Amino acid sequence: MNLASPQTLGQTWSRHILDSAQLWVHRRDAQHWLDLGSGSGFPGLVLAILAREDGHSVVMVEGNQKKSAYLRQAIRVLHLPAEVQATRVESLPCKIWETSALVVTARAFAPLGRIFDWTDGFGGGAARALLHKGRGYQNEVAEARDGWTFDLLEHPSSTDADGVVLDVTGVRRIDTQLGN
C-alpha cells in the first residue's frame, strides 16, 4: 500500500510528522478535527495523538477501503480518540458540518476550490480549515475566489520554505445571479 512516496521515507519526521503537527499550534478553540482525504494518516493520526490528552476528537475521511482499514488499525493499536469515515468527501452527511469548534484539515488532497465545491463550503457553517499548501498556492486561492468568498490567513510552514498553512474561515458561495 502506498502510504508515502518512497522518495520521502528518509524525511519522515520532518516531511510528514512535524509537517502534520504544526497544525496543533494554530488550533485555537478547536475541539473536533475533520481530516479530508486522510490517506496515510497525515495529519489525522498525528493530530489524534496530540489530541489524546485534550479531549479532542478526530474524524478521518478516506474513500480508499485499504487505507481506511489501515487507519482503523492504527487508531485501535494507538488507542486514539478518532474514527474513520470510509467514504468520499462529497458523500459526507450534512450534519457533520454542524459540529461545534470544528477544524477541517487536508494535506496533499485537492485544490482549494474543489474542496469548497465537494463540501459546499464546509456546509456554510462556522467550520474553520487549516490546509497545507505548497508552491503555487496563490493560484489556487485566486481560482477559488471565482466561486467563493472566504477569510484567509496565511501561516508560513515551519517545515517547507515554499509551503503555507491556509487558515480559512467564513466560506460562502458567490451568488452569481445577484452579483455578490
Side-chain angles (χ1 to χ4, degrees):
M1 188 179 336
N2 296 323
L3 294 176
S5 168
Q7 294 88 351
T8 67
L9 293 180
Q11 309 159 357
T12 299
W13 182 252
S14 63
R15 175 111 182 208
H16 300 296
I17 298 171
L18 287 178
D19 189 49
S20 296
Q22 72 179 309
L23 298 182
W24 196 251
V25 174
H26 304 295
R27 71 187 177 279
R28 293 196 310 244
D29 62 348
Q31 290 294 310
H32 307 283
W33 299 81
L34 180 66
D35 186 37
L36 306 178
S38 296
S40 58
F42 300 117
L45 287 175
V46 174
L47 292 169
I49 289 167
L50 294 169
R52 254 196 299 225
E53 312 260 333
D54 287 348
H56 293 218
S57 65
V58 179
V59 174
M60 291 175 254
V61 181
E62 177 53 55
N64 179 295
Q65 297 304 310
K66 285 184 180 181
K67 290 179 181 178
S68 292
Y70 155 76
L71 292 169
R72 285 190 183 103
Q73 180 66 10
I75 289 166
R76 222 177 355 265
V77 168
L78 297 170
H79 307 286
L80 298 176
E83 67 178 81
V84 177
Q85 293 281 328
T87 188
R88 298 180 56 83
V89 170
E90 57 269 36
S91 299
L92 286 170
C94 293
K95 67 180 181 179
I96 204 157
W97 308 113
E98 298 168 8
T99 305
S100 63
L102 178 67
V103 175
V104 178
T105 62
R107 181 174 180 263
F109 178 56
L112 191 57
R114 192 168 308 151
I115 292 172
F116 293 163
D117 289 339
W118 286 341
T119 64
D120 194 26
F122 311 125
R128 177 174 164 236
L130 293 172
L131 307 170
H132 288 91
K133 292 294 177 181
R135 182 180 316 119
Y137 74 91
Q138 298 94 336
N139 293 336
E140 278 190 45
V141 170
E143 289 173 11
R145 290 203 187 275
D146 287 343
W148 299 89
T149 181
F150 50 92
D151 299 318
L152 179 68
L153 292 173
E154 299 174 14
H155 304 290
S157 172
S158 59
T159 61
D160 178 0
D162 293 328
V164 295
V165 173
L166 297 182
D167 192 335
V168 184
T169 56
V171 180
R172 295 170 306 283
R173 186 180 298 277
I174 294 173
D175 187 344
T176 55
Q177 292 180 353
L178 297 176
N180 53 359

